[in-house]
Amino acid sequence: MRTVFWENNELKMIDQRILPARFEVISYRSHKDVAFAITDMVVRGAPAIGAAAAFGLALAGFESASSSTEGLLADLGAASAVLKASRPTAVNLAWAVDRLMTVARSVTGSADDLRAAVLAEAQKLADEDIEINKRMAEHGAVLIDDGDTIIHHCNTGALATVDWGTALGVIRTAHEQGKHIHVLVDETRPRLQGARLTAWELEQYGIPYEIISDNMSGYFLKTGKAQKVLFGADRVAANGDVANKIGSYMLALAAHDNNVPVYSVVPTSTVDLSLAHGDLIPIEERNTDEVLGIQFHGEPVAPKNAKARNPAFDVTPNRLLSGIVTENGVVYPPFDINLPKFVR
Ligand code: MRU
C-alpha cells in the first residue's frame, strides 16, 4: 500500500502521527488541509511530502470555481504558495509544486484540461518516486555486505516516500538479495520516527533490528559493532552538504571518527544545486512541545515552565560522507565536482 495515493477524487494518506499504535488512512479534499497535514506531520519524509503537495495542488484545481485557464492558474499559484509554506527544509516540496506549475502553464486547452493535466502529472510524479527509489536501492545495496550491522537514523522507508524508501529502501533490497543485515534503529528524538515508524516497517519486512536511543550510536561505532551508517536527506547542497533529521550530524561525526562509512541516500529531486553549501539550507524549528511533551513513569520529564529548543534538521558537512546514493548511481567525493553530473 502506498503512503500517499489518489482514490475516488480524494487524496488519501496514512496518518503517521499515530503509528504504530493505530493504522488509519485520512482522506483530503482541500489543499489547505493537505498543507496542514504536512505541517502537522500526518505525512512526513521529503519525497512523501513532495507527492502530497503535488496531489494537494491537483485538489486546488478542483476546488477552484474558475472556468478560465487564467483564473485557474491564478488559483493554482495561490495554492502553490500555501503548500510550499507548509515545511521549509525538504526541497522536494517546492520541487514538486514547481514541476506541476510548469505543466499547468503549458496546457493550451480548457480549464478542465488543465485540471486533468495537473492531476495526471501528480500521479506521474508519485509513480516515478517508487521507480526511482527502487533504482537507488539497487545502487545502494551494492555497498552493503552480508553480515553488516547498519545504524539507521529517522524513518526513510515506504512511509517517508510514496513506497519502498530511500536509505531503508537500500536495506530492504539488500535483505531481499539474501544478505543478512541487522539494523540498529536510532529512536530519533523528539518525534521518534525511528522507534515508531522504522521499527514498524522493519517488522513488516522481517528484517532483524534493535532500537537504540540516539546517544548510544557512538558506543556501537567505537566498539566495532556497526559497519555502516545510512540515512536519507531533506536537502542536499551543490557541494554535497546534507540536511537531514536532527542528530544525523552527530551520528556522522562519530562514524567518521571510527572509520565507519556514512552514506546518504537521496533522489536527485532532493538535491538543490542553487545552494552552494549546507549553511544556506533553511532549518525548520518546530514547537518545543515536541521536546517537552515526553513523559517518564506517566509524569512530564521537564519542570512545568521549562524552555527548550527544537531544530528539526541539521547539516552534515560533505567531508563526513563516504558517498551519496542517487537513482543515477553512487556519487563519491569530491562532491562539488561529481554531484552536479548526477543531477539530470
Ligand atoms: O521531519 P521528518 O520526519 O519529515 O524528517 C524526515 C527525514 O529527516 C528523512 O530522513 C528525510 O526526509 C529523508 S528520507 C526520505
Side-chain angles (χ1 to χ4, degrees):
M1 181 184 192
R2 296 183 178 202
T3 302
V4 174
F5 59 100
W6 185 264
E7 193 178 74
N8 298 331
N9 298 323
E10 291 178 333
L11 169 60
K12 307 212 175 199
M13 301 198 283
I14 297 172
D15 187 349
Q16 301 192 36
R17 298 167 304 182
I18 54 172
L19 276 172
R22 296 195 305 282
F23 183 94
E24 285 175 18
V25 173
I26 305 183
S27 300
Y28 293 89
R29 298 189 77 108
S30 121
H31 72 278
K32 286 191 178 152
D33 290 346
V34 174
F36 181 71
I38 294 171
T39 304
D40 206 38
M41 294 174 71
V42 170
V43 62
R44 29 76 41 208
I49 290 172
F55 283 120
L57 200 66
L59 282 174
F62 296 113
E63 285 172 79
S64 167
S66 184
S67 55
S68 73
T69 51
E70 294 75 21
L72 182 52
L73 276 174
D75 288 343
L76 289 176
S80 295
V82 171
L83 288 161
K84 281 188 183 181
S86 57
R87 282 193 87 184
T89 303
V91 75
N92 306 59
L93 181 53
W95 167 84
V97 169
D98 289 345
R99 172 172 158 172
L100 263 69
M101 283 305 291
T102 303
V103 168
R105 285 190 210 97
S106 72
V107 173
T108 49
S110 67
D112 279 343
D113 292 338
L114 202 157
R115 288 183 178 90
V118 170
L119 174 58
E121 190 66 13
Q123 190 64 61
K124 187 165 168 235
L125 183 149
D127 293 343
E128 280 174 11
D129 181 62
I130 303 172
E131 185 245 320
I132 284 168
N133 290 340
K134 292 197 170 164
R135 273 165 54 199
M136 269 191 307
E138 291 290 334
H139 291 303
V142 175
L143 305 168
I144 308 299
D145 295 313
D146 191 27
D148 271 354
T149 290
I150 302 168
I151 301 186
H152 175 276
H153 196 65
C154 196
N155 172 267
T156 67
L159 290 168
T161 60
V162 178
D163 198 355
W164 203 259
T166 60
L168 207 62
V170 168
I171 290 171
R172 215 171 148 179
T173 294
H175 170 76
E176 290 201 349
Q177 289 171 349
K179 291 178 184 166
H180 299 89
I181 297 164
H182 189 80
V183 186
L184 291 174
V185 176
D186 267 1
E187 65 176 356
T188 317
R189 280 276 284 146
R191 294 282 305 212
L192 302 169
Q193 290 95 327
R196 296 189 304 107
L197 307 175
T198 298
W200 181 78
E201 283 199 45
L202 290 171
E203 294 269 339
Q204 325 284 314
Y205 313 145
I207 301 174
Y209 73 91
E210 290 162 304
I211 296 172
I212 58 172
S213 61
D214 302 346
N215 52 3
M216 294 175 187
S217 314
Y219 164 79
F220 287 106
L221 290 160
K222 187 150 192 311
T223 53
K225 294 187 173 74
Q227 288 72 48
K228 306 268 157 49
V229 166
L230 289 190
F231 49 69
D234 280 71
R235 198 183 296 223
V236 182
N239 70 343
D241 290 349
V242 160
N244 191 53
K245 178 51 52 195
I246 193 77
S248 302
Y249 172 46
M250 288 203 321
L251 175 59
L253 273 175
H256 192 258
D257 197 42
N258 291 286
N259 297 313
V260 174
V262 180
Y263 296 102
S264 176
V265 185
V266 298
T268 51
S269 55
T270 303
V271 180
D272 186 349
L273 293 178
S274 76
L275 300 184
H277 55 80
D279 293 346
L280 300 171
I281 298 173
I283 300 294
E284 175 182 20
E285 185 123 6
R286 293 184 63 84
N287 194 307
T288 54
D289 290 351
E290 293 180 351
V291 175
L292 297 172
I294 192 163
Q295 299 196 337
F296 190 68
H297 291 311
E299 300 292 341
V301 164
K304 194 164 178 290
N305 297 316
K307 297 205 169 12
R309 290 291 299 272
N310 190 15
F313 300 94
D314 58 27
V315 174
T316 299
N318 59 17
R319 68 186 168 81
L320 301 178
L321 295 172
S322 311
I324 299 176
V325 181
T326 74
E327 72 273 25
N328 298 325
V330 183
V331 189
Y332 291 101
F335 295 114
D336 55 343
I337 308 287
N338 293 336
L339 186 58
K341 295 182 201 158
F342 283 73
V343 183
R344 291 173 198 144

